[in-house]
Amino acid sequence: MGTALVSVSQLPFGLGTKLISSNFTGGSVSSIGFSVPAGKSPAYTRRGGVFFTRASVATEEKTETKAAVIRIGTRGSPLALAQAYETRDKLMESHPELAEEGAIQIVIIKTTGDKILSQPLADIGGKGLFTKEIDEALLNSEIDIAVHSMKDVPTYLPDKIILPCNLPREDVRDAFICLTAASLAELPGGSMVGTASLRRKSQLLNRYPSLKVLENFRGNVQTRLRKLNEGVVQATLLALAGLKRLNMTENVTSVLSIDDMLPAVAQGAIGIACRSDDDKMVTYLASLNHEDTRLAVSCERAFLEKLEGSCRTPIAGYASRDENGNCIFKALVASPDGKQVLETSRGGSYAYDDMIKMGVDAGEELLSRAGQGFFDR
């Protein structure tokens, strides 16, 4: 199956952004021979209790460019592109030959998860919907590397694809965004909170059972803020990492602590995949890898894999360094209605083997405590 490429004219409104076009030397967005020129950031800003958008529409401009040294595959959302450009910039900084005009090309690939927004992810196949087409493009040598939000990546990678690189992790916490209340605790009973995440829904209802949750609150960050502005919901929860990468933290009402809302496995982490037999790309990616992040993500994904977690199961896990430099791993599973939340933690040295064991052990414990049928609801 060929890559599901899209033209510039098919990109989301406002995609000619600062994130796409700033410091554009050394790369281009091109899926059919077009490049995206400079524009402004499609961020939302709050004025007087209302969110406004500032955006410009990209124009098409044909350019003659030499063959790229690295073709980066990515989804086309503003956040996905921000992550692809962070990867591009780090490659350019580390390897002077990649800073030359046309050396790096961004290839936008529309995934099934991007096309079907009317149904919950669990009903249409789960997390792999955001990576399947990108994996196919990688295996078909239509791209050289793929940039993913790690929390979207299934625990089982396709044969001949490896994920040797994680960029430094962003803030893992969730942000509360609301026009009328300063915190979740201040929301009146019956208020509607929008989220497509069962993890957020279950923890939210466990602590604030009087609130309501609008499920399948899907779409990119800009879409969710627009729905909030239109009064579809009274509040929403978003990953702080994404808001930071989009330069949209002015929209944050408050930040939830790890104790109040344990993050998703690998939240805030960017992963970069390549073909296992592509030694050149493996070498490039090795120069970008942030080992602390890779180890933390490996621990959390070992936990998720043990639970055979899916989009139908509220699961959270977070590995970090404590004040002594050791690893502390916190994890939970919950019922979707939030009435049952099972938590555990592990501690040990910040080393790969020990951290994998922590994740597996935590998963085994919670599986045992949850009992038969807990994950089949």
Side-chain angles (χ1 to χ4, degrees), residues 142-257:
E142 295 168 345
I143 57 174
D144 302 299
I145 63 175
V147 178
H148 299 293
S149 292
M150 278 303 302
K151 69 177 181 179
D152 291 336
V153 179
T155 53
Y156 293 96
L157 296 175
D159 189 35
K160 298 183 180 178
I161 290 180
I162 58 173
L163 218 161
C165 175
N166 290 119
L167 299 186
R169 196 172 197 173
E170 218 352 314
D171 197 315
V172 302
R173 295 174 296 171
D174 284 309
F176 171 72
I177 303 176
C178 182
L179 299 174
T180 58
S183 67
L184 281 168
E186 294 183 23
L187 278 176
S191 295
M192 187 70 72
V193 180
T195 178
S197 164
L198 286 178
R199 170 191 64 87
R200 291 184 179 121
K201 174 189 172 183
S202 61
Q203 293 184 75
L204 177 70
L205 293 178
N206 179 259
R207 290 170 174 78
Y208 305 98
S210 67
L211 297 179
K212 297 181 180 179
V213 174
L214 177 62
E215 298 181 51
N216 198 35
F217 193 71
R218 293 184 56 205
N220 61 35
V221 171
Q222 289 82 355
T223 298
R224 297 185 203 193
L225 290 180
R226 174 179 56 77
K227 290 179 180 179
L228 173 62
N229 190 53
E230 293 171 351
V232 176
V233 295
Q234 281 70 63
T236 189
L237 303 174
L238 296 173
L240 183 58
L243 295 168
K244 286 189 172 185
R245 289 184 173 121
L246 288 168
N247 296 319
M248 294 173 65
T249 53
E250 71 269 23
N251 298 300
V252 175
T253 304
S254 61
V255 178
L256 303 179
S257 72

Side-chain angles (χ1 to χ4, degrees), residues 260-271:
D260 286 337
M261 183 68 67
L262 197 63
V265 164
Q267 182 156 308
I270 295 172

